Amino acid sequence: MADHYEEEIKTAHQNNDLALAAVKAKKHLNMLKKICVNIAITGESGSGKSTLVNSLRNIKNRAEGAAPTGAVKETTMAPTEYKHPQNKNIRIWDLPGVGTTNFTADKYIKKMEFEKYDFFMIVSNERFTENDAKLAKEIQKMKKKFYFVRSKIDHNIRDEKRDDPDLNEEVFLNQIRENCIEELKKLDIESPKVFLVASHNLHLYEFEGFCKTLNEELPELQRDALLLALPNISLDVIEQKKKALESRIKWYILASAVGAAVPRLSEMVDVEILSTFAEQCQNSFGLSLESLQKLSGVSGVSLEVLKMEIKSSLTACKITSGVHT
């Protein structure tokens, strides 16, 4: 899609039609705003699906707007959509647990409308089961991507260290991963992609590897939309976000040129477009006041100290189409 617009813009430039090139660039930017990603979080009841949904949205359990969690009973009784706070077109679906009396595996596949999701995360907090394998096979038939997420890894390490304080975490994690892969192969899943994750601490273990896999396997426009909304769990993820945003700069520059064709409007249009891009950068890198307040609460570092440490003019400022304060 981007190549199509680039070719049209190239032709417009060759014809010295700057206004047309700007219009095409604005159309491309408007199209980027409409890119949707529907992610299905599925697996057996009690596996930690809802906590993962909240972490992907950078929201704590029991916070306003969070997916309800609970270990005593199944808390998700119907497919529930949760929009990402930074991008309403990224929709994370918390699906009911498979394998319960309410949702046997065969009924589950029909009721959950699998065809509407772009990719699936199959979550387990222990071992993957026949129900998980059934889900994977049905998803595979639809030629869609699916990934196995072994959750609550931090709990496993904590429990193991009670008996073995000198536990080698790397060896232990490799054992868990290999065991998961072997189990899934026994259930006729070829080359399963398994990621070990601690939902409350996505920066630990293998969530970064999961992000890299999505970066390689998702269509470009969906990949960038999702990447810009994911938590800043590592320098590598931040660098990927930087590249994604840099690739959009040329489109914003071209789009701002539309004002050049209209006397006395160029300054207003430029500021509006620049403010849109600046706000996107601020949200993606976690520089908004709301993001910094969340970080302060988690880290115990005061908001003022965080502001002083971040070397960016976008830090905690309010961005409007006029001026930012």
Side-chain angles (χ1 to χ4, degrees):
M1 185 66 72
D3 292 340
H4 169 72
Y5 280 109
E6 284 185 349
E7 189 61 35
E8 289 186 333
I9 288 171
K10 182 179 179 181
T11 301
H13 271 295
Q14 289 172 346
N15 295 330
N16 294 319
D17 193 342
L18 180 61
L20 178 60
V23 168
K24 294 296 181 182
K26 287 198 76 173
K27 284 185 177 180
H28 178 65
L29 290 173
N30 288 333
M31 182 268 296
L32 290 180
K33 294 177 184 177
K34 298 176 182 178
I35 296 297
C36 291
V37 185
N38 285 285
I39 307 166
I41 311 294
T42 184
E44 293 198 338
S45 178
S47 60
K49 303 187 309 300
S50 298
T51 295
L52 181 59
V53 168
N54 294 333
S55 294
L56 290 173
R57 299 170 64 230
N58 202 24
I59 293 177
K60 287 185 176 182
N61 288 348
R62 297 183 176 82
E64 183 179 355
T69 57
V72 177
K73 62 179 182 177
E74 172 65 28
T75 53
T76 305
M77 300 307 296
T80 307
E81 176 192 51
Y82 293 94
K83 294 181 179 180
H84 198 284
Q86 292 179 15
N87 185 341
K88 304 303 182 184
N89 288 329
I90 295 176
R91 298 151 187 169
I92 304 172
W93 292 83
D94 190 4
L95 305 189
V98 66
T100 64
T101 54
N102 292 316
F103 297 102
T104 61
D106 294 334
K107 292 180 180 179
Y108 187 89
I109 291 163
K110 293 179 181 178
K111 289 185 176 181
M112 295 304 113
E113 300 178 307
F114 274 21
E115 67 279 354
K116 73 181 180 183
Y117 307 114
D118 294 300
F119 69 88
F120 298 75
M121 298 172 72
I122 303 174
V123 184
S124 175
N125 66 326
E126 293 180 349
R127 60 184 60 195
F128 292 100
T129 67
E130 187 175 352
N131 286 329
D132 296 320
K134 283 183 179 179
L135 294 179
K137 289 173 184 176
E138 289 300 316
I139 297 166
Q140 203 165 34
K141 287 179 184 177
M142 295 186 295
K143 301 186 184 303
K144 294 195 174 187
K145 300 291 184 183
F146 59 92
Y147 309 94
F148 292 98
V149 175
R150 176 63 163 76
S151 64
K152 304 183 182 180
I153 290 298
D154 49 340
H155 294 190
N156 297 132
I157 290 178
R158 179 196 63 201
D159 294 342
E160 195 71 16
K161 281 189 172 181
R162 287 175 182 168
D163 298 326
D164 182 8
D166 298 322
L167 176 72
N168 185 314
E169 287 191 18
E170 184 176 352
V171 171
F172 182 61
L173 292 173
N174 285 335
Q175 289 173 345
I176 293 177
R177 187 187 308 102
E178 290 304 315
N179 181 253
C180 289
I181 291 172
E182 286 175 14
E183 289 172 354
L184 289 165
K185 285 182 176 178
K186 288 177 183 177
L187 295 168
D188 297 324
I189 303 296
E190 295 182 6
S191 305
K193 295 182 180 180
V194 178
F195 299 93
L196 311 183
V197 169
S199 295
H200 289 295
N201 297 285
L202 291 180
H203 64 285
L204 301 176
Y205 313 117
E206 297 180 351
F207 186 76
E208 184 177 351
F210 173 68
C211 294
K212 289 180 180 178
T213 300
L214 291 181
N215 193 46
E216 295 168 358
E217 297 188 352
L218 286 183
E220 180 183 353
L221 297 181
Q222 284 190 328
R223 178 200 70 200
D224 287 352
L226 180 58
L227 172 67
L228 293 175
L230 286 175
N232 296 303
I233 59 169
S234 70
L235 290 175
D236 187 58
V237 169
I238 292 172
E239 186 62 30
Q240 289 179 46
K241 288 188 177 189
K242 177 185 173 185
K243 290 179 181 178
L245 287 166
E246 284 178 342
S247 71
R248 298 186 178 193
I249 290 176
K250 64 181 179 183
W251 297 103
Y252 282 96
I253 291 174
L254 282 169
S256 69
V258 72
V262 183
R264 297 187 302 278
L265 287 185
S266 60
E267 183 179 351
M268 180 184 69
V269 173
D270 286 350
V271 170
E272 182 178 354
I273 290 174
L274 287 174
S275 66
T276 298
F277 183 63
E279 186 175 6
Q280 187 175 41
C281 292
Q282 186 187 60
N283 290 331
S284 297
F285 292 123
L287 297 175
S288 67
L289 179 59
E290 182 181 4
S291 296
L292 290 177
Q293 285 172 333
K294 287 182 180 178
L295 179 59
S296 176
V298 172
S299 66
V301 179
S302 73
L303 180 60
E304 292 307 315
V305 170
L306 288 175
K307 287 181 181 180
M308 291 173 59
E309 289 297 320
I310 299 175
K311 311 300 181 185
S312 171
S313 58
L314 297 177
T315 304
C317 65
K318 183 177 180 181
I319 297 173
T320 69
S321 58
V323 295
H324 68 264
T325 56

